[in-house]
Amino acid sequence: MSNEFPNDPFEQLRDAQAPAPHADARQQALAAGMAAFAAQQNKSSAPTQGSGWGQRLTAIITSWKGKTIMDLRIPIGTAAIALLVLPLGYQLYTSTSMTPADLAEQPPAVIVQPPAELAATEGQVTVPETVRKSVAPIAGRDQSIAAPEPAPLQTMRVMTPAATAESDALAMPAPQSSMVALPSQPSGDTFAGFDEQRLKSVVDEPVSTFSIDVDTASYSYVRRMLEDGYVPEPDAVRIEELLNYFSYDYRAAESAAAPFRPSLAVYPTPWNARTQLLQIGIKGYEPAGGADKASNLVFLIDSSGSMDEPDKLPLLKRAFALLVDQLSANDTVSIVVYAGSAGVVLEPTVATQKAKILGALDQLSAGGSTAGAAGIALAYRLAEQSRVEGGTNRVILATDGDFNVGIDDPDALEDFIKSKRDGGVTLSVLGFGRGNLDDATMQALAQTGNGNASYISSFREAQKVLVEEIGGTLDMIAKDVKIQVEFNPAVVSEYRLVGYETRALNREDFNNDAVDAGDIGAGHTVTAIYEITPAGSGAGLIDPLRYGQTTVAPEAGGEIAFLKMRYKLPDSDVSQLIEQPVTADVVYGDIAEVGVDQKFAAAVAAFGQKLKGSDYGSAMGWDAIEALARSGMGSDESGYRAEFIQLVRTASLLKPDGARSAPESDGDGKVPQPLL
Amino acid sequence: MGLTAALAKEDASAVTRALVVRAQNGDAAAFSTLIAAHYELIHRAAWKWSGNASDAEDVAQDVCVKLGRAIAGFDGRSAFSSWVYRITINAVRDMQRQSMRQARHVDAYAEVAPADHPAEQEEAATSAQLWTAVRRLPEKQRDAVLLVYAEELSHAAAAEIMGIAEATVSFHVHQARKTLRELL
């Protein structure tokens, strides 16, 4: 940039951002200002001739010169000093005369000087002692405004002139440490903590129950963090969302009446030679192309100031443009924003009027604070207003983490969403950006609203969620899908569900239709993996009970486990049951024999466990995970699996194999201790 | 849109004027509001002129004290913010001269004098070199350049702050460009 000036080099100056002042420095400054103000008030209200003089003098000067105070003091003030306080003035003059010529206009020097000096000479001594004392030494420097300070200020100001250096020294470390700590704590995103699923003994707890989860937000987030060179925090890694990000080629169901069929496989665990993995895969029924379900979509868009970043509102606009392209004449779209004030940007409009919809989108701009407004209520009102029977009625909330949609209390918000959900309007959440993302709230709202939570990190991701998986996003084929697996203690001694920590259900919840669970959309695939320890293999980690009942081999010979799934059809409140035993038919002796989908899923699970520093499976090397994923790549038409392999490589660099069970900050630079 | 923005600005300056009058009449609360509202401006300008976070905080405190003492004398001829700018710029200059002098007096101060902090924050800015060069300009040129470009003020506003004619501001900017070509 130095030698040629293609443009005005000064234009660059406006880009600099001053660092925020320290809160305490600000406080101190304001307090000092107030003290000075108070002192000044006292001084001027005191009936001294000195200040009277001073005021008159200032007034004369200003009116005479017709200019503002600061400029005039130069000649008059210097003259006053020279004439009135000759010895002191002389001293001051000699010391300042050493400074360069343009020093002549150092106005503050004189501004307050005259009154104090006058007061002193006139003998109406208000602050003579301090003035003398301070003028003498301070004359040496030209911080002259400090010179005539009255007593109260003098104590205050001890801080500033003499201790400038010290305060510098004190103030120094703070910015430094914050500067250094920054890169290792890149995100202000919040995640709900959860404990990993523990290993369970089949004898004690033969039944495992959980709700399915079709969210994928965690994978997008993890990918983004890794691509930016950070190891995501462990709570950000939800293995089930990593697994379900990818679509697998499971057997499809035949009809909408029985919307899915489980695909089962048992194969050796890649990270533990003595255990096996039980993989349960289901694929939602995909209606034939002709059946176009009407949908009524209300976009509830966060347009707060924080959305004004390239990966937020602009990306969102492009993403919605994609979505609108997918809609047809029996679909309606409305747009509501919540920001400074809630407002309807677009009344319900038929989706074929693309120009109108996209025009409304284009006019959105981020600004203002995310203030409490009736945004969500408005969105639901629009959704109910243009409700379509038998179709999808959905509010799609797009935000970077500000959930001030009008209901402050999170519980009240969930209740509200729940009541609307029961009325037939569901809610999906799309997360954008980084730094402010409130993952836990996002998940909770989407779960409550029977929708899905997705994290849109890039245009490509928007394409995946809103175009490729549009069916799953909009067309729910079964709701409240729960899975219950009962293990046969004769065959399996211990088991552990990989992931689904946040989706665990109680055993009795399975048959309770009132208990909410995950929903599955058209064409969605859901994968769950159990790590099981065969009975009698000696690989068990839990010792058998000394006084426990000796396991009686049940009659169900050869059955490893029994799978039960409950779901409700979209417009039913009564659940259906699907049952299927896990038999020896689905057992593979070698991982090389299983299908690509199984291999890939196992690699993803291993990746998730290792990335979050799990107690299980972390020993598997990155190389082995990569090799496994590579063997499970299949045709990979959309390229997501290839991308995953790249991600494994990135992770292996950021969190090398040696650094096992190291704290999360490892690999992206240590957090240095603050210097103080 | 433009209209409302202009109105808002008008309102803000009316509020500021009212606060100044109240503070001049001895209303401490008004003065408190006033300096709290202007602290960002003061600190930002102090940082831009000095290029040093801790200096900026010290200068900002000095300026608050000066405002407290001098507000009674503010005659309202210029905008209050212009006056604040002027005081801030002068305070930075005083501070810099003082530290220069302290560096010459190699006495007790010498050990702790804030010699030359590496300007931490501007490293992040795109043009650290440019900033350093601009800060080294002669004072008038520097003030003109920073007011017009870094603070994005009009030449008229800069002229009001610097107490010079508008044409002179343009002249200083022009001079700065020439000087800078040699510096960079």
Side-chain angles (χ1 to χ4, degrees):
Chain A
M1 67 159 212
S2 31
N3 287 326
E4 79 281 21
F5 295 118
N7 297 317
D8 192 348
F10 290 149
E11 295 293 329
Q12 294 172 35
L13 290 174
R14 72 184 52 162
D15 295 330
Q17 290 288 325
H22 290 110
D24 50 354
R26 185 173 192 273
Q27 284 304 328
Q28 213 179 335
L30 296 185
M34 288 308 292
F37 180 77
Q40 181 70 26
Q41 290 303 314
N42 291 339
K43 202 162 87 180
S44 55
S45 61
T48 58
Q49 265 179 307
S51 52
W53 252 99
Q55 275 173 6
R56 206 175 76 199
L57 194 58
T58 321
I60 287 171
I61 292 165
T62 37
S63 58
W64 172 51
K65 264 296 230 181
K67 275 198 168 188
T68 43
I69 313 177
M70 306 284 288
D71 311 317
L72 336 167
R73 259 166 273 128
I74 306 121
I76 306 293
T78 321
I81 292 165
L83 291 173
L84 294 174
V85 217
L86 207 54
L88 287 176
Y90 176 71
Q91 210 178 353
L92 184 68
Y93 180 70
T94 47
S95 55
T96 51
S97 65
M98 298 298 292
T99 49
D102 55 351
L103 183 69
E105 44 137 8
Q106 46 138 317
V110 209
I111 196 172
V112 202
Q113 199 95 347
E117 301 301 350
L118 287 170
T121 44
E122 276 175 27
Q124 300 288 341
V125 189
T126 44
V127 283
E129 286 306 309
T130 27
V131 168
R132 287 242 169 77
K133 272 193 200 131
S134 53
V135 168
I138 289 171
R141 51 195 197 89
D142 69 353
Q143 184 84 332
S144 27
I145 195 149
E149 270 171 296
L153 276 177
Q154 200 66 27
T155 49
M156 285 253 7
R157 289 272 305 196
V158 166
M159 212 18 231
T160 336
T164 308
E166 283 149 52
S167 68
D168 280 349
L170 284 175
M172 266 279 284
Q176 229 177 28
S177 62
S178 66
M179 283 288 288
V180 180
L182 205 67
S184 56
Q185 296 174 339
S187 77
D189 308 331
T190 49
F191 297 91
F194 57 85
D195 290 332
E196 202 177 7
Q197 295 268 15
R198 308 307 301 179
L199 188 71
K200 287 172 181 156
S201 160
V202 177
V203 175
D204 298 335
E205 288 178 73
V207 178
S208 164
T209 312
F210 64 96
S211 145
I212 64 151
D213 182 3
V214 293
D215 292 343
T216 58
S218 176
Y219 182 79
S220 317
Y221 185 83
V222 164
R223 179 180 57 197
R224 174 156 190 190
M225 292 300 279
L226 286 174
E227 282 172 353
D228 287 357
Y230 299 104
V231 175
E233 49 194 299
D235 285 340
V237 182
R238 283 186 300 272
I239 298 173
E240 71 276 15
E241 297 194 13
L242 268 51
L243 283 171
N244 290 330
Y245 180 86
F246 302 96
S247 61
Y248 304 94
D249 190 19
Y250 296 135
R251 286 186 304 168
E254 287 102 13
S255 73
F260 43 79
R261 237 178 7 172
S263 303
L264 302 167
V266 176
Y267 49 92
T269 309
W271 59 85
N272 186 344
R274 305 173 75 177
T275 59
Q276 288 176 312
L277 294 184
L278 163 60
Q279 180 172 345
I280 301 165
I282 55 179
K283 180 169 192 166
Y285 173 72
E286 218 163 349
D292 183 12
K293 235 171 144 183
S295 45
N296 159 32
L297 306 179
V298 180
F299 297 142
L300 176 56
I301 299 177
D302 177 355
S303 61
S304 60
S306 61
M307 287 291 281
D308 191 15
E309 285 170 30
D311 62 348
K312 295 180 180 173
L313 200 54
L315 174 62
L316 180 144
K317 286 180 188 170
R318 290 189 291 149
F320 276 160
L322 279 185
L323 177 60
V324 171
D325 276 340
Q326 304 295 305
L327 301 176
S328 60
N330 58 359
D331 302 319
T332 56
V333 173
S334 349
I335 302 174
V336 174
V337 291
Y338 69 102
S341 63
V344 179
V345 175
L346 183 71
E347 292 285 345
T349 304
V350 176
T352 41
Q353 299 184 18
K354 289 197 171 64
K356 187 176 172 190
I357 297 170
L358 297 181
L361 275 172
D362 276 340
Q363 277 164 21
L364 291 181
S365 61
S369 64
T370 319
I376 198 156
L378 197 57
Y380 273 105
R381 213 181 58 222
L382 281 187
E384 281 161 5
Q385 182 189 320
S386 52
R387 180 190 185 89
V388 287
E389 287 305 327
T392 306
N393 295 288
R394 180 161 303 197
V395 173
I396 299 177
L397 171 59
T399 180
D400 64 346
D402 291 313
F403 287 98
N404 302 329
V405 287
I407 302 175
D408 295 337
D409 176 22
D411 293 335
L413 183 57
E414 280 190 30
D415 287 347
F416 178 80
I417 292 170
K418 199 183 235 165
S419 69
K420 295 296 179 184
R421 175 196 78 199
D422 295 341
V425 182
T426 54
L427 175 78
S428 283
V429 185
L430 302 178
F432 286 85
R434 197 180 69 194
N436 194 14
L437 195 69
D438 185 352
D439 181 71
T441 315
M442 219 172 104
Q443 296 291 323
L445 293 187
Q447 272 177 39
T448 315
N450 273 7
N452 19 31
S454 309
Y455 175 69
I456 311 280
S457 56
S458 64
F459 189 69
R460 185 173 149 79
E461 187 63 25
Q463 202 180 351
K464 179 172 188 290
V465 173
L466 297 175
V467 179
E468 293 171 26
E469 296 172 357
I470 181 73
T473 309
L474 291 183
D475 188 5
M476 177 178 65
I477 55 156
K479 60 183 183 181
D480 292 348
V481 183
K482 305 167 190 170
I483 294 182
Q484 187 164 59
V485 180
E486 181 180 349
F487 291 97
N488 182 350
V491 183
V492 180
S493 64
E494 291 163 10
Y495 69 91
R496 177 176 70 89
L497 177 57
V498 178
Y500 291 93
E501 286 86 358
T502 56
R503 298 297 186 128
L505 294 176
N506 294 326
R507 186 174 170 178
E508 62 274 17
D509 292 340
F510 185 70
N511 289 327
N512 183 351
D513 285 351
V515 174
D516 187 43
D519 308 308
I520 187 166
H524 264 158
T525 57
V526 177
T527 302
I529 293 180
Y530 281 97
E531 183 176 356
I532 54 177
T533 310
S537 70
L541 296 173
I542 304 172
D543 287 334
L545 294 176
R546 180 179 169 90
Y547 305 112
Q549 71 283 26
T550 49
T551 318
V552 183
E555 64 281 12
E559 275 183 26
I560 298 165
F562 196 73
L563 169 72
K564 290 193 278 192
M565 295 196 290
R566 276 200 177 277
Y567 65 93
K568 295 176 195 160
L569 289 174
D571 35 13
S572 158
D573 283 332
V574 183
S575 65
Q576 317 276 321
L577 182 66
I578 296 179
E579 294 177 310
Q580 188 171 344
V582 184
T583 59
D585 303 349
V586 297
V587 176
Y588 298 84
D590 187 345
I591 195 161
E593 294 167 16
V594 294
V596 287
D597 284 341
Q598 280 76 13
K599 286 181 197 158
F600 191 76
V604 174
F607 169 79
Q609 291 184 129
K610 192 167 175 69
L611 192 61
K612 68 184 293 171
S614 160
D615 297 343
Y616 309 95
S618 292
M620 190 173 178
W622 291 115
D623 292 346
I625 295 176
E626 191 187 324
L628 184 61
R630 208 171 271 289
S631 72
M633 236 171 88
S635 62
D636 189 30
E637 278 167 17
S638 45
Y640 295 118
R641 296 191 182 188
E643 183 188 69
F644 173 78
I645 291 168
Q646 292 306 319
L647 215 53
V648 175
R649 274 199 206 140
T650 311
S652 71
L653 296 176
L654 292 172
K655 193 176 179 181
D657 274 335
R660 194 187 153 210
S661 77
E664 71 205 83
S665 69
D666 199 24
D668 57 7
K670 294 282 185 199
V671 184
Q673 289 300 310
L675 296 176
L676 278 184
Chain B
M1 192 61 196
L3 186 66
T4 49
L7 280 177
K9 208 174 165 191
E10 196 102 332
D11 283 350
S13 68
V15 168
T16 306
R17 272 203 302 278
L19 283 173
V20 169
V21 171
R22 278 169 56 197
Q24 283 176 330
N25 291 334
D27 182 345
F31 179 71
S32 170
T33 316
L34 211 50
I35 54 173
H38 285 81
Y39 185 82
E40 304 310 325
L41 180 152
I42 297 168
H43 179 267
R44 189 183 66 226
W47 179 81
K48 283 181 180 165
W49 261 256
S50 69
N52 178 311
S54 62
D55 281 354
E57 281 167 6
D58 288 353
V59 167
Q61 178 165 347
D62 279 14
V63 172
C64 288
V65 170
K66 284 177 198 186
L67 287 175
R69 233 177 292 134
I71 188 150
F74 173 58
D75 60 1
R77 229 176 272 271
S78 60
F80 183 71
S81 62
S82 300
W83 190 61
V84 172
Y85 266 122
R86 193 155 52 220
I87 293 181
T88 309
I89 296 173
N90 286 337
V92 173
R93 186 182 325 163
D94 288 347
M95 187 268 305
Q96 285 172 343
R97 288 206 189 117
Q98 185 193 347
S99 62
M100 258 164 58
R101 209 178 345 277
Q102 276 173 354
R104 255 184 276 146
H105 291 209
V106 193
D107 50 22
Y109 279 126
E111 283 165 26
V112 279
D116 206 12
H117 294 310
E120 314 96 343
Q121 299 293 338
E122 72 191 24
E123 298 299 328
T126 47
S127 45
Q129 266 181 304
L130 175 67
W131 274 96
T132 319
V134 167
R135 290 197 183 107
R136 264 192 237 128
L137 288 171
E139 278 169 4
K140 294 263 190 197
Q141 299 177 11
R142 175 191 70 179
D143 293 354
V145 166
L146 288 180
L147 284 172
V148 172
Y149 288 97
E151 289 297 310
E152 299 183 58
L153 297 174
S154 66
H155 283 213
E160 188 181 67
I161 291 167
M162 294 177 68
I164 55 179
E166 207 174 320
T168 322
V169 172
S170 310
F171 168 73
H172 283 312
V173 171
H174 178 68
Q175 287 296 107
R177 246 183 256 283
K178 284 208 307 206
T179 320
L180 206 65
R181 208 158 286 151
E182 293 159 19
L183 278 178
L184 282 177

